[in-house]
Amino acid sequence: MRGNCYIPSGCSVSGIMSESGRRQDGNAIIKSIALMHDRANGLGGGFAAYGIYPRRSDLYAFHMMFDDMAAKERCEEHFKDRFDIVLDEAMPTRPGGAYEEETSGRWGERGVQPIINPPVLWRYFMDVPEDKTKFVSDREYVVGEVMEINSTIDGAFVASSGKNMGAFKGVGYPEDIGVFYKLGEYKAYIWTAHGRFPTNTPGWWGGAHPFCLLDWSIVHNGEISSYGINKRYLEPFGYKLELRTDTEVVAYLFDLLVRRHKLSIELAAKVLASPFWDDIDRMPDRERRIATALRQVYGGALLNGPFSIILGHSRGMVGFNDRIKLRPMTCARKDDMLYMSSEESAIREISPDLDEVWSPRAGTPVIGELDEGVA
Amino acid sequence: MAATSELPPEFIVKIDYDRCRRCKRCVMNCSFGCMHFTDRVVPEHKLCVACQRCVTYCPEHAITVTKNELAYKENANWSPELRKNILKQAETGGILLVGMGNPRDYPILWDHLLIDACQVTNPSIDPLREPMELRTFLGRKPDRLEFVERDDGEIDLATEIEPQVRLDVPVIFGAMSYGAVSLNVHRSLVMAAARSGTLMNTGEGGLHRELYPYAGNVIVQVASGRFGVHSEYLNTSAMVEIKIGQGAKPGIGGHLPGEKVDEDISKTRMIPVGSDAISPAPHHDIYSIEDLSQLIYAIKEATDYEKPVSVKISAVHNVAAIASGIVRAGADVVTIDGFRGGTGAAPMVIRDNVGIPIELALAAVDQRLRDEGIRNNASIICAGGIRSSGDMAKAIALGADAVVIGTAALVAMGCRICQKCYTGNCAWGIATQRPELVRRLDPQVGSARLSNLLTAWSLELKEILGSLGVNSIESLRGSRERLRGVGLDSQTLELLGVKPAGVGQ
């Protein structure tokens, strides 16, 4: 299952959020990402959804991928002493499923079937035993476990590990992946999606986006040219970068900056896509002091290279670009809905009549948050 | 070397008497006494050091200096150098003294490292059209920042950041003491550092009072002899450096002969005129890491915790563990000096046989500090063997915050690397205190040439960053993923943390 190649990728991204917390099914996000079919090449697609497990919202939902049943057994042996498994079941899927529109028809022309050779897909709703959290928080504990499973259990991969959320991803066009995972049957207040155009082909399900850790999810169009140092910056903090793709550093950096270092999302975005020194020098005193310190201290976390990223977490969705906007991103609002996408057309496809449409400035995050009081 | 020595001359000076107009400029320019004038110019070959001064300044281009080819009969085992050295020692019974860095044919790993570039999937960036940032800060950084919310709802920084020194270009001029080099060299270096937004390092000979206005661009060094160290000196600086070792002569002290200690040097070094200035091999108040820590904090107390303190060590076998100890002892900056680093004078046997290559030392230190989670606690400066902007970029990618140039700076000011610095006869006015030679280097010209060099290297570094598709030096620093090795064995690659060329990400 795990390829040995590194995969730089082009791609499409799309995100939908209801700031009032209304949940809607996955058909809209599938329709949106399907429009950008040509930005992907069938070698990876995926979705992250928030609010999908309201009845089990206090449990960590692990979406797992296994190479084979032996890997599943190895992993369950590992889980046995580390978690209380409340429920585990096969991921509901529709093997051979395909998005019925013309775009996916091209698979047929090429003589390839949609969604082939899925790994063993299983989900676990788990609690962290109390005795495990004497010295670390349960979230810290889960992060450590995710790192350990991904790096030490052969053939097992954690696709997502948050509460009341999950990742649905695989090798194929995203719209077909959406159908394969029956996303029409889930309801979420945030949906993000990714269609992938990797420039080489390990065909690895775990390598598709979104990348998730706890409730963080990242879909990413671009290439992190600073991957080498971002990886070396993260490693001393205990993150194991084993997935051979640059996108995972984004998820781990957000986890480090926001969860562990308690920076706000705005400040974290200023670290990852920092203002230029020329602009910092012109800032008023307080802002300049803060921006200077962020660059001095977090230089190893600066993301360089072309990217547009949509970050999902349980309270919101953040879209942002690299410092000189080398990849596209368009945002829009309609009533309580916030949209972000690689192309405006993918937003108009599902919401033709918008209140507001804009292209965010380079390096400037667009932040969607659940209204206060929304649980 | 006495003219009665049996050593054959190393070089032959040829005068083209058809072209020579007997202007005697070569006689005036030769500081080694090689050129005599009777009715025409007659060279004393034995005294020639091939410094190229006469060749450069002959208006008729009538002089050429060549090797004395068959001074020693060919022998693959007994090189001319070995025989020359034995003859010298047989005549004198002394330690062989040499100047400049290790000239031997050891592998230069910089030349086995290649840099990545973008194609298609990530666009390269044109540094002439887009911002390209080289600004670097040296000093201890916290692992994380904390913020407080003020009454007006705005946030403010709660973490106090320790003093940082800003560099506009990540190249610092290396430590060369006033005494070893002339005051005009110090003037040139400090003026260029000020113009280019970087630092010069005083070396261990103190700072001439005339240069005190440049405090913001000066690293003041505290070495084992403590020459010129006083409270005002420590505070007339951007940073203070404790010199433990020097790459060219690890474990060895220094010796400035009394002939060089004139009035000005005497005042600057705080020693009597004409007395030898001897730097002991160790600091006699530092026999352990805890002693070093005491000196670091003594200096911090003396400078009111307003300046970063650097500790400079030579690259030796155990450099990574030593560097880690230094950071934990309180140093804000670690300077590692490789075995190819320069010197005004060192015993040849030490210079040519002791220490390890800076590339390996740098890689080991950066990785060790990261493994221990203390890389943010100190900046790493890489010294000893940086010859070009390419070397600089590779050093930064291996993990250096900034690099040091010593020899390259001297070459920019005219040095021809004739390796006779220890004689005090430098024809280019660099490593000398003879007033008639010192004035050959005009600080205005010297500093302009140094600034030109830094400007050129900055432009080249920006081109490299642009081709890598990044627009800030932070994204190159420590990014070994962007380096590949050619012709290196797997163990060296592993130590460097670099993959072999041909392997993708």
Side-chain angles (χ1 to χ4, degrees), chain A residues 6 227 232 277 281 286, chain B residues 121 133 135 155 366-367 505:
Chain A
Y6 166 81
Y227 171 78
R232 295 186 76 220
W277 286 117
D281 291 343
R286 180 184 64 91
Chain B
T121 55
E133 302 185 314
R135 190 181 296 184
I155 54 153
D366 176 71
Q367 189 57 48
Q505 194 160 330

Side-chain angles (χ1 to χ4, degrees), chain A residues 91-261:
Chain A
M91 289 290 290
T93 55
R94 195 166 67 154
Y99 190 62
E100 300 301 335
E101 292 191 18
E102 181 197 349
T103 48
S104 283
R106 295 183 193 178
W107 274 112
E109 291 164 25
R110 293 173 192 170
V112 184
Q113 290 302 309
I115 317 310
I116 47 172
N117 298 328
V120 179
L121 300 167
W122 214 264
R123 66 187 174 198
Y124 299 81
F125 294 92
M126 306 196 288
D127 216 349
V128 176
E130 253 178 45
D131 62 331
K132 302 289 186 195
T133 53
K134 272 186 205 148
F135 304 110
V136 293
S137 69
D138 58 340
R139 282 152 66 88
E140 195 71 48
Y141 178 77
V142 169
V143 170
E145 285 303 316
V146 171
M147 295 292 147
E148 194 173 340
I149 294 164
N150 286 344
S151 61
T152 64
I153 300 185
D154 196 28
F157 174 72
V158 184
S160 63
S161 52
K163 290 179 174 176
N164 199 13
M165 61 81 69
F168 305 89
K169 62 184 191 177
V171 174
Y173 278 100
E175 58 272 26
D176 300 328
I177 292 285
V179 170
F180 172 80
Y181 278 108
K182 304 185 177 181
L183 294 188
E185 296 173 15
Y186 293 85
K187 283 188 163 183
Y189 55 85
I190 299 171
W191 285 99
T192 63
H194 186 258
R196 182 164 207 212
F197 197 137
T199 38
N200 59 24
T201 58
W204 177 41
W205 278 57
H209 297 206
F211 276 94
C212 298
L213 181 68
L214 294 174
D215 68 331
W216 304 111
S217 70
I218 298 283
V219 290
H220 162 218
N221 166 17
E223 180 164 337
I224 309 291
S225 303
S226 56
Y227 171 78
I229 183 55
N230 299 143
K231 174 174 186 283
R232 295 186 76 220
Y233 175 74
L234 283 166
E235 279 165 346
F237 292 102
Y239 295 95
K240 296 194 173 75
L241 291 95
E242 304 265 333
L243 308 184
R244 312 203 68 83
T245 171
D246 49 4
T247 305
E248 64 176 333
V249 302
V250 186
Y252 300 160
L253 285 170
F254 267 106
D255 184 61
L256 176 73
L257 297 175
V258 178
R259 184 179 64 83
R260 288 170 65 176
H261 287 185

